[in-house]
Amino acid sequence: MKTKLILVRHGESAGNRTNTFTGFEDAPLTDTGVKQAELLRDYLVQTDIYKIYSSDLSRAYNTALPLAEAKGMCVHKESDLREINGGLWGGMPFDSIKDKYPEDFDVWMTDFGNAVCTGGESVAHLADRVQNGISRIVEDNKGKTIVAVIHGTPIRTLLCRWQGLDMGDLQNVPWAANASVTVAEFTDGCNIPEITLFNYTGHLEGCVTTLPSNI
């Protein structure tokens, strides 16, 4: 028996547009992000989906909501699926973080798996939190197809672990684009899925947004 997880990164947010570290901070979708959520809905609406989950932050929830409404479903919010707690970085432009916290930010840029947001969460702790949340969701929905709309850093850490890589290799795992789709299929009794699709953006019809190189 297989459980299919359709993993989605949220649509473009105001923080993405302004190159600001949002983390636990809430940031609304931009007009582009709203359009991406609608295109995601159109792409997945015919899929036989059992449940839809999202992070409890609005940029993830509002990316999932159009699909849920189209299918007459609700979105189950999960706090474990949140983006990393940025601590003192929350709400700051990335260039300002680089200037104010150069040592911690240098680790973020060069040794991502061992990074710690100043006054906030480590990437390793985030990886444990998100994996625990996803594992619980998969366990609760065996044999079903489920959607989870989450964030860039959580997706990156999941892919690292699912590929059997050490956290030190996380730097080499690419970021997922806004509203991109990654599919992981879990065989019953196995916590390591087969990744059958990664960072798919064909449904976005040229409305693709990605993170800049200084993040």
Side-chain angles (χ1 to χ4, degrees), residues 23-210:
F24 269 26
E25 309 294 318
D26 232 337
L29 295 177
T30 63
D31 289 345
T32 297
V34 171
K35 177 63 175 176
Q36 290 168 338
E38 293 169 349
L39 292 169
L40 176 74
R41 172 200 62 201
D42 296 345
Y43 175 57
L44 293 178
V45 69
Q46 298 301 323
T47 302
D48 184 14
I49 296 167
Y50 183 66
K51 280 187 181 178
I52 300 173
Y53 294 85
S54 82
S55 151
D56 62 348
L57 296 173
S58 67
R59 57 192 184 274
Y61 176 78
N62 287 326
T63 301
L65 191 58
L67 174 64
E69 290 178 340
K71 294 186 73 65
M73 301 171 71
C74 64
V75 179
H76 300 269
K77 295 181 181 181
E78 293 283 344
S79 60
D80 280 348
L81 305 184
R82 278 187 172 200
E83 182 56 278
I84 194 166
N85 180 351
L88 297 176
W89 297 4
M92 289 184 65
F94 276 90
D95 287 342
S96 297
I97 297 170
K98 179 180 178 180
D99 292 340
K100 191 168 184 178
Y101 306 106
E103 293 183 4
D104 287 346
F105 190 70
D106 182 65
V107 178
W108 177 273
M109 293 298 296
T110 61
D111 189 11
F112 190 60
N114 291 306
V116 181
C117 301
T118 310
E121 192 174 20
S122 70
V123 172
H125 183 272
L126 163 82
D128 289 340
R129 167 169 61 80
V130 174
Q131 185 170 35
N132 288 341
I134 289 293
S135 294
R136 185 180 66 254
I137 288 169
V138 170
E139 180 67 21
D140 289 346
N141 296 279
K142 286 183 177 179
K144 306 294 185 181
T145 295
I146 49 183
V147 172
V149 181
I150 59 173
H151 304 264
T153 312
I155 291 174
R156 207 174 175 190
T157 61
L158 287 170
L159 288 168
C160 182
R161 291 189 168 179
W162 289 345
Q163 294 176 77
L165 301 175
D166 295 326
M167 289 300 289
D169 296 317
L170 185 56
Q171 193 67 31
N172 300 318
V173 177
W175 293 103
N178 291 115
S180 63
V181 172
T182 294
V183 177
E185 296 188 1
F186 294 81
T187 300
D188 209 12
C190 182
N191 291 325
I192 303 298
E194 177 186 4
I195 301 167
T196 59
L197 188 67
F198 170 64
N199 196 28
Y200 177 74
T201 58
H203 57 292
L204 296 177
E205 300 176 359
C207 190
V208 178
T209 52
T210 57

